[in-house]
């Protein structure tokens, strides 16, 4: 466990428990990449598992997470991150986004062999591959995406293991959500720019660059930039033209999303009940994500530097504890 200049009593509690096999490292605050690299420096295993402090593993998570490494071509494995605090409308929206927007995408990237992100909440890495890329980078705000892209460029495979489940705490307010996604979006664009040369390279790096980076550019940058204009045209048609056309179009769009959502929930072994919140998501949550992309692009064009935004955690894990098969606890 790495205490990166924490101001609470977590490290003192861990030190007082004296758990066998647990090594506590105290260091001045240097940021998440610095803390991760401090832990990697003293670790001795060939397979290393990284986990955030706000994440809970199930009892079989690590077993499933490290199993793919029997294949020597695999350099990293992404686990299956699930929303723990999914109560309330904001929690349900994020639960839907994680299952549909993140995990479904990871299945596609796994098939195409161009995984862009092993989430910081749950990921396993081969030590030799980490040494080859210089461990966790600290020059972008999405260090997990930056690291994964660097691993993909070495030619090592990055795969997704859906059975390796981790329960994570998501932001509980719109302000906290905005700050988190703003950092994620800006950091992802930083990583895309940093690894842009992979598009013209050969081998595994070129395969990753030509398959992944255009997809991220189109679906995570360009389409969200133009989506607000589509919403404005739809609103104009609803108010001043025949309202049947935009209403029917919106209904068909939501129905298609619901069908994809039901399939994604089924793949993840989740009930489809949360899909009732999907239509409401189109009026608040979707616009918020679009504005996050707009602000991130403007920040990048202006050359401004974005600092690390701290998210307040509350430890609300009561619901998923009942669904999971006995989480190990906080790590």
């Amino acid at each position: 466990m790495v205490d990166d200049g924490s101001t609470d009593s977590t490290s003192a509690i861990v030190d007082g428990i004296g758990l066998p096999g647990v090594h506590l490292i105290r260091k001045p605050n240097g940021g998440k990449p610095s803390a991760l690299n401090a832990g990697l420096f003293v670790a001795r295993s060939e397979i290393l598992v990284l986990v955030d402090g706000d994440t809970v593993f199930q009892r079989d998570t690590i077993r499933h997470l490290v199993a793919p490494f029997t294949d020597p071509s695999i350099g990293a494995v992404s686990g299956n991150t699930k929303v723990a605090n999914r109560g309330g409308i904001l929690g349900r929206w994020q639960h839907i986004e994680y299952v549909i927007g993140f995990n479904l995408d990871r299945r596609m990237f796994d098939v195409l062999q161009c995984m862009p992100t092993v989430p910081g909440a749950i990921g396993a890495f081969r030590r030799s591959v980490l040494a080859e890329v210089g461990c966790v980078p600290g020059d972008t705000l999405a260090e997990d995406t930056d690291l994964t892209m660097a691993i993909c460029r070495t030619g090592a495979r990055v795969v997704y293991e859906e059975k390796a489940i981790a329960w994570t705490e998501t932001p509980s307010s719109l302000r906290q959500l905005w700050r988190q996604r703003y950092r994620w979006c800006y950091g992802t664009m930083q990583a895309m720019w940093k690894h842009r040369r992979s598009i013209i390279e050969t081998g595994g790096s070129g395969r990753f660059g030509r398959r992944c980076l255009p997809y991220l550019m189109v679906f995570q940058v360009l389409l969200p930039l133009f989506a607000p204009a589509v919403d404005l045209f739809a609103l104009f048609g609803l108010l001043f033209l025949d309202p049947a056309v935009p209403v029917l179009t919106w209904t068909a769009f939501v129905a298609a999303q619901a069908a994809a959502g039901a399939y994604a929930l089924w793949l993840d072994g989740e009930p489809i009940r949360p899909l009732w919140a999907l239509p409401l998501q189109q009026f608040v949550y979707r616009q918020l994500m679009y504005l996050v992309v707009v602000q991130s692009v403007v920040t990048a064009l202006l050359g401004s530097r974005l600092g690390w935004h701290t998210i307040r955690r509350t430890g609300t894990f009561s619901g998923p504890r009942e669904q999971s098969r006995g989480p190990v606890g906080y790590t």
Side-chain angles (χ1 to χ4, degrees):
M1 175 179 174
V2 180
D3 172 18
D4 186 44
S6 176
T7 56
D8 60 22
S9 58
T10 301
S11 60
I13 294 173
V14 173
D15 198 25
I17 294 176
L19 294 173
V22 176
H23 183 49
L24 176 64
I25 303 173
R26 289 189 175 97
K27 60 179 290 295
N29 181 261
K32 184 178 178 181
S34 171
L36 290 173
N37 288 329
L40 295 175
F41 180 77
V42 301
R44 293 293 177 262
S45 301
E46 173 59 18
I47 305 301
L48 303 174
V49 176
L50 305 187
V51 53
D52 284 346
D54 58 357
T55 301
V56 174
F57 278 5
Q58 295 184 175
R59 295 187 185 277
D60 60 353
T61 294
I62 294 180
R63 174 168 61 88
H64 290 302
L65 191 63
V66 302
F69 286 104
T70 55
D71 183 345
S73 68
I74 291 178
V77 179
S78 166
N80 184 349
T81 310
K82 290 182 177 288
V83 174
N85 54 328
R86 57 181 69 172
I89 189 66
L90 186 59
R92 286 185 175 87
W93 285 342
Q94 292 180 86
H95 167 50
I96 292 174
E97 181 187 30
Y98 268 67
V99 174
I100 302 176
F102 297 159
N103 292 342
L104 197 60
D105 275 2
R106 286 196 181 98
R107 286 181 169 88
M108 178 195 68
F109 289 130
D110 190 2
V111 172
L112 296 177
Q113 298 185 27
C114 60
M115 187 79 66
T117 305
V118 172
I122 174 172
F125 302 85
R126 199 179 294 276
R127 168 188 287 278
S128 56
V129 175
L130 285 176
E132 183 177 353
V133 300
C135 291
V136 183
D139 55 346
T140 65
L141 290 178
E143 79 293 329
D144 48 3
T145 298
D146 191 355
L147 174 61
T148 309
M149 289 183 175
I151 292 174
C152 287
R153 294 183 68 184
T154 68
R157 288 183 58 202
V158 181
V159 299
Y160 174 62
E161 177 49 67
E162 62 179 14
K163 296 179 182 178
I165 297 174
W167 298 97
T168 191
E169 182 179 354
T170 55
S172 56
S173 69
L174 288 177
R175 175 179 173 81
Q176 293 289 310
L177 179 64
W178 177 284
R179 297 179 68 178
Q180 181 196 65
R181 300 310 169 86
Y182 184 25
R183 178 177 63 82
W184 284 5
C185 183
Y186 186 82
T188 298
M189 289 193 296
Q190 285 180 312
M192 291 167 61
W193 181 255
K194 179 178 178 179
H195 297 283
R196 65 191 183 277
R197 287 191 58 83
S198 62
I199 294 180
I200 61 174
E201 292 176 341
T202 60
S205 180
R207 179 183 64 237
F208 161 78
R210 287 184 288 274
R211 293 180 183 180
C212 182
L213 294 187
Y215 177 89
L216 295 179
M217 176 59 69
V218 171
F219 289 97
Q220 294 196 18
V221 179
L222 296 181
L223 286 183
L225 284 178
F226 290 102
V230 175
D231 290 344
L232 290 176
F233 281 124
L235 182 61
F236 179 84
L238 187 65
L239 296 177
F240 301 105
L241 302 176
D242 182 6
V245 175
V247 169
L248 290 175
T249 303
W250 180 84
T251 302
F253 175 74
V254 173
Q257 277 199 319
Y263 177 64
L265 290 166
W266 176 76
L267 287 176
D268 249 24
E270 294 278 357
I272 65 172
R273 290 189 303 271
L275 285 179
W276 69 263
L278 186 62
L280 298 175
Q281 191 183 44
Q282 310 305 311
F283 295 104
V284 179
Y285 196 86
R286 190 165 61 94
Q287 282 74 17
L288 180 68
M289 296 301 103
Y290 293 160
L291 291 175
V292 164
V293 175
V294 171
Q295 185 176 11
S296 300
V297 170
V298 171
T299 302
L301 292 177
L302 293 178
S304 304
R305 291 187 60 84
L306 178 64
W308 188 277
H309 289 159
T310 302
I311 305 299
R312 186 174 64 89
R313 304 301 185 184
T314 58
T316 50
F317 283 90
S318 56
R321 284 182 186 273
E322 299 171 359
Q323 299 177 35
S324 66
R325 293 170 292 185
V328 207
Y330 294 94
T331 306

